[in-house]
Amino acid sequence: MNKTKPPLIILVFCKPEIIKAFNLSQWDLLIRQARYAGVLARLAFLLEKNEVFSFVPEKPLNHLQSALTFSRHFELSLSWEIDCITEALKPLDTPIIYLKGAAYFLAGDIAGQGRVSVDVDILVKKDRLDLVEKRLIFKGWRNQQYDAYDQKYYRQWMHELPPLVNIDRNTCIDVHHNILPITAKFCPDANKLLANIVKIEEKYAWVLATEDRILHSATHLFHEGEFDHGFRDLSDLDLLLKEFSAEQGFWNKLLQRAAELKQQTPLFYALRYTSLILQTPVPEAVLKASAEHSVNRIKQRFMDALFLRALMPNHVSCNDSWTGLARWLLFIRSHWLRMPWYLLIPHLYRKGMMHITGKEHH
Amino acid sequence: MTSTKFIIGIEPFVICLETSLSLVIKAIELQYGNHCFLLDDDSVFSDFHIQIKSPSVLRRRFRAQAQFYIDGKTPFKPLPLSQAYPFFEWGLNWCIASQIHQYLILHAAVVEKNGFALILSGQPGAGKSTLCAALINRGWRLLSDEMTVIDLKTKELIPIVRPVSLKNESIDIIKKFAPEAIFGDSFCDTAKGTVSHLKPGRTCVENSTKRAIAKVVIFPRYKEGAKTNLQVLDKGQTVIKLADNAFNYNVVGAQGFNALCDVVENSSCYDFEYSELDDAIKVIAELSC
């Protein structure tokens, strides 16, 4: 673990009342860290919930208010987008399962408050994938300019279609049929996820079960290659764990479910890093049980060195001289996890050539 | 290279600017000469932390360039070194437009005289900055050349006094119209053509916490040889035209709509064609009587 003192935003997320003693230059840094970590509105909600909002001086208060205004605007747009997706897909009479941010928003999770994201992610049954795509295209979504190779890459190996963009609203939807690429070593059985989905009342929308929402969040974060929102996603996990663990028997259910879906390693990382970085109250016994799926000690120390850097807020003040390297290595790792070497090497070779010859589209 | 840190009080914001480029330092010292510079201590909250510097040692060898950094991030491609100062001004516009949503912000100039505030809006290049620059050289107070900042609760116009950016022919027009006006360097071949900045006067800067109430909204259009012509504009149409030119109208939502309607409701609204500045100012002065 980094020996230096954690960034201000992490201290505040762990113990919001410390802001009472902040001077303006500390506020200055806190607002910047929160903004670039993508958690400025979340910070506002956190201070409100802990009844310390009234201690915020006027200058930083303006920025928090501004972020709240933006997140209200975002929620309105998201609601509208969900209505449009519903209108497009309802005739198919198949469950539309919203993932990540849209799911937290629909389910009313604390993690959904003030969470701003760009794309909407949905999960559908694999045998309905073609129909879903056709309906969306019929209703104004378009495939972006991907070449035949990219199309094949997505359709044959990935767990999602190439992103579809709406021609009117310029919004983007990712249609998944699983939460990990089919080529990944620990790809779960999507039918098990579908078996436990929860319907949102009065809406034509579903979300994953509570444990599955956590496991998906963990799987996503710890297979991810880009960490621009790493800290925000870690904070998602922290909030989901805190909220759902109020329920009796939650921790056992979570461990059991992770085993069923083969997601014990991502869960181990999620519990390890939320408790290490954000002091999420994970029971000792649960940490220990989940640590059975950790890697060996040398590799663990190495992963710590990478994740404890990559998961810091995406702000210059939170980087050290190894942060860039750590994020780069995790980017490589994410590809490694996505597909076996005999697929990965030709893929990277092709991407590399495209890059060199300037034929890259995206 | 040693870098200089300016903490500039540009009401209602504080901007922290770090730069090692002498071009930028020189321009800041001139243009913001009437502004308040703050000391860097625990009592300062800067709204934006901006750096203007050369992109990298490697790039510097090929081409002299300047890059705009906000909190270490680079939202734009680098520009030629000679445009480093306008880069700061444009970058700051972008920062405000993309991060400040506690106010409604329109793309329009505001000037005021005897408590009578005038909003000048219109498409880029229509001639709002030219008219704005002319007015502030004939006794009107500058609130802002680029952004009309509206308080969502009180519907007051909040000054944000910065240099007036003039483009192409309007630079010479204003230099001739107001020989005493202080201009910075002219920057050629920018994305907007030639650009030069007019330094805001001392009184404008000193009154930069004094808000104003909008009384008139005009959409000026400079047309060579045209007679000064004021046409009453429908209020509903004015709201739509202003909203079209707003930076964050969609983000601010219902509150923004209400604020905009209130501002327009209490103002008289006109389309305004002009070519003769003295005549144009006379017509505007009559509006305020």
Side-chain angles (χ1 to χ4, degrees):
Chain A
M1 175 121 203
N2 275 341
K3 296 286 190 298
T4 48
K5 214 173 158 200
L8 220 45
I9 181 75
I10 291 181
L11 297 175
V12 172
F13 267 45
C14 295
K15 216 174 163 202
E17 62 273 20
I18 62 167
I19 59 111
K20 289 188 201 172
F22 276 9
N23 60 35
L24 277 174
S25 99
Q26 285 169 307
W27 273 109
D28 179 316
L29 186 61
L30 177 68
I31 295 288
R32 290 153 69 202
Q33 288 179 347
R35 182 190 306 285
Y36 290 94
V39 294
L40 193 51
R42 179 170 286 176
L43 173 66
F45 278 106
L46 182 80
L47 298 179
E48 218 159 55
K49 199 174 141 231
N50 286 274
E51 292 165 8
V52 288
F53 203 67
S54 56
F55 291 89
V56 185
E58 191 194 338
K59 279 288 211 172
L61 185 66
N62 281 335
H63 289 271
L64 292 177
Q65 304 278 24
S66 171
L68 286 173
T69 300
F70 190 85
S71 82
R72 271 194 298 273
H73 156 70
F74 172 78
E75 279 189 2
L76 204 64
S77 316
L78 180 60
S79 275
W80 174 244
E81 194 62 26
I82 290 170
D83 287 348
C84 294
I85 295 168
T86 302
E87 195 203 90
L89 299 181
K90 202 172 175 183
L92 295 179
D93 200 25
T94 183
I96 306 302
I97 302 123
Y98 289 83
L99 302 172
K100 296 193 287 189
Y104 310 151
F105 167 72
L106 283 166
D109 297 337
I110 292 169
Q113 292 176 343
R115 189 186 190 278
V116 173
S117 52
V118 185
D119 308 342
V120 174
D121 298 86
I122 61 169
L123 175 78
V124 296
K125 289 179 182 159
K126 197 174 179 194
D127 59 6
R128 307 310 293 264
L129 199 60
D130 281 348
L131 277 175
V132 166
E133 185 179 18
K134 283 201 181 97
R135 276 296 298 175
L136 287 172
I137 287 172
F138 181 66
K139 284 290 184 178
W141 276 266
R142 289 289 176 269
N143 259 305
Q144 284 165 305
Q145 300 259 311
Y146 291 117
D147 64 14
Y149 176 81
D150 287 327
Q151 292 282 352
K152 187 184 154 198
Y153 169 81
Y154 272 104
R155 288 168 199 277
Q156 193 171 343
W157 297 326
M158 287 298 108
H159 51 308
E160 58 187 321
L161 295 173
L164 293 163
V165 173
N166 188 283
I167 47 169
D168 289 328
R169 300 184 302 279
N170 217 12
T171 48
C172 185
I173 184 168
D174 288 331
V175 183
H176 302 246
H177 58 80
N178 205 325
I179 58 170
L180 273 180
I182 311 163
T183 47
K185 204 166 153 196
F186 294 107
C187 181
D189 178 357
N191 289 322
K192 289 185 181 163
L193 291 166
L194 292 164
N196 285 6
I197 53 172
V198 182
K199 170 101 168 44
I200 301 296
E201 254 176 74
E202 289 170 18
K203 282 205 184 280
Y204 191 77
W206 285 257
V207 294
L208 296 175
T210 46
E211 302 81 39
D212 295 4
R213 291 215 282 287
I214 292 175
L215 290 171
H216 178 223
S217 177
T219 299
H220 191 262
L221 179 57
F222 294 103
H223 280 82
E224 188 50 60
E226 282 171 36
F227 285 86
D228 287 359
H229 294 117
F231 178 75
R232 197 264 323 261
D233 294 351
L234 187 78
S235 161
D236 284 348
L237 278 165
D238 167 65
L239 293 173
L240 292 170
L241 287 167
K242 279 182 191 157
E243 187 177 357
F244 298 154
S245 60
E247 193 194 325
Q248 270 263 295
F250 163 79
W251 293 107
N252 277 335
K253 250 164 79 186
L254 182 63
L255 290 171
Q256 206 184 334
R257 191 64 176 159
E260 278 167 27
L261 296 171
K262 297 189 282 187
Q263 302 305 310
Q264 293 112 318
T265 308
L267 179 64
F268 162 69
Y269 283 134
L271 299 179
R272 176 171 180 80
Y273 296 118
T274 48
S275 55
L276 271 179
I277 297 171
L278 288 168
Q279 298 174 12
T280 313
V282 184
E284 205 54 46
V286 175
L287 275 177
K288 225 168 144 192
S290 124
E292 281 170 25
H293 299 276
S294 70
V295 287
N296 70 53
R297 273 181 62 183
I298 296 169
K299 191 176 167 200
Q300 187 51 55
R301 288 189 63 167
F302 182 62
M303 295 316 283
D304 279 357
L306 299 186
F307 278 124
L308 290 174
R309 288 190 170 84
L311 292 171
M312 286 297 116
N314 184 17
H315 185 260
V316 275
S317 65
C318 308
N319 295 348
D320 66 15
S321 37
W322 298 100
T323 304
L325 180 66
R327 291 201 169 134
W328 183 75
L329 287 171
L330 286 171
F331 177 74
I332 302 291
R333 171 183 176 267
S334 76
H335 277 79
W336 192 250
L337 293 175
R338 210 172 282 174
M339 40 173 68
W341 64 268
Y342 53 85
L343 291 178
L344 181 63
I345 288 168
H347 174 65
L348 289 181
Y349 171 74
R350 194 192 150 88
K351 282 285 159 192
M353 287 310 285
M354 299 279 281
H355 188 71
I356 290 165
T357 55
K359 285 182 186 154
E360 204 176 31
H361 286 298
H362 58 100
Chain B
M1 242 187 296
T2 55
S3 76
T4 308
K5 194 178 198 176
F6 296 105
I7 303 176
I8 321 170
I10 307 177
E11 285 289 340
F13 306 117
V14 173
I15 281 88
C16 176
L17 168 66
E18 248 180 287
T19 186
S20 52
L21 305 176
S22 55
L23 274 168
V24 179
I25 297 173
K26 203 184 99 201
I28 293 288
E29 282 170 350
L30 170 76
Q31 296 289 351
Y32 290 92
N34 289 325
H35 281 73
C36 179
F37 286 78
L38 285 73
L39 290 173
D40 190 8
D41 64 27
D42 280 357
S43 64
V44 173
F45 180 97
S46 297
D47 293 275
F48 305 106
H49 290 254
I50 295 168
Q51 288 176 302
I52 305 282
K53 49 186 190 185
S54 296
S56 70
V57 183
L58 204 67
R59 266 177 185 257
R60 218 176 291 161
R61 290 192 176 277
F62 292 105
R63 198 183 289 158
Q65 283 183 320
Q67 179 58 291
F68 178 94
Y69 295 82
I70 168 100
D71 276 279
K73 304 253 179 288
T74 52
F76 309 106
K77 293 215 165 84
L79 287 180
L81 184 65
S82 59
Q83 297 175 24
Y85 169 66
F87 203 2
F88 163 70
E89 293 290 344
W90 294 328
L92 180 55
N93 288 342
W94 178 84
C95 291
I96 296 171
S98 58
Q99 298 185 3
I100 300 297
H101 306 299
Q102 67 269 35
Y103 311 119
L104 173 65
I105 306 181
L106 310 178
H107 187 199
V110 190
V111 293
E112 179 259 358
K113 197 177 188 178
N114 305 326
F116 183 94
L118 172 69
I119 295 177
L120 305 109
S121 184
Q123 297 296 320
K128 78 175 163 58
S129 288
T130 319
L131 189 56
C132 169
L135 285 163
I136 61 172
N137 279 291
R138 291 294 185 272
W140 290 70
R141 167 168 79 104
L142 174 72
L143 275 83
S144 170
D145 160 52
E146 186 70 23
M147 301 178 153
T148 298
V149 182
I150 303 174
D151 186 308
L152 290 167
K153 289 200 189 80
T154 64
K155 323 292 177 344
E156 291 163 316
L157 308 179
I158 302 170
I160 161 166
V161 182
R162 292 167 57 196
V164 177
S165 157
L166 290 168
K167 291 178 289 249
N168 305 319
E169 303 83 33
S170 61
I171 301 168
D172 283 331
I173 294 175
I174 296 298
K175 278 184 177 169
K176 221 155 71 194
F177 179 77
E180 70 286 1
I182 299 170
F183 274 87
D185 292 338
S186 285
F187 306 97
C188 304
D189 298 322
T190 76
K192 305 179 178 199
T194 302
V195 172
S196 188
H197 296 85
L198 171 65
K199 179 180 181 173
R202 180 178 293 273
T203 10
C204 302
V205 177
E206 277 168 0
N207 285 306
S208 60
T209 54
K210 218 169 101 187
R211 298 172 169 204
I213 305 282
K215 293 283 166 61
V216 170
V217 178
I218 65 171
F219 294 88
R221 201 168 51 241
Y222 177 86
K223 198 173 153 197
E224 219 179 292
K227 270 192 77 178
T228 311
N229 182 14
L230 201 62
Q231 290 273 348
V232 175
L233 193 64
D234 176 72
K235 292 207 171 180
Q237 233 184 327
T238 307
V239 170
I240 291 169
K241 278 177 90 163
L242 286 175
D244 271 349
N245 279 315
F247 287 107
N248 63 354
Y249 179 70
N250 60 330
V251 176
V252 182
Q255 260 192 309
F257 172 76
N258 290 330
L260 193 56
C261 287
D262 282 354
V263 166
V264 172
E265 188 63 53
N266 298 318
S267 308
S268 23
C269 312
Y270 305 96
D271 262 332
F272 185 62
E273 214 169 61
Y274 72 96
S275 62
E276 259 302 309
L277 284 172
D278 279 314
D279 199 42
I281 290 170
K282 216 173 79 195
V283 171
I284 288 169
E286 281 162 12
L287 283 177
S288 64
C289 293

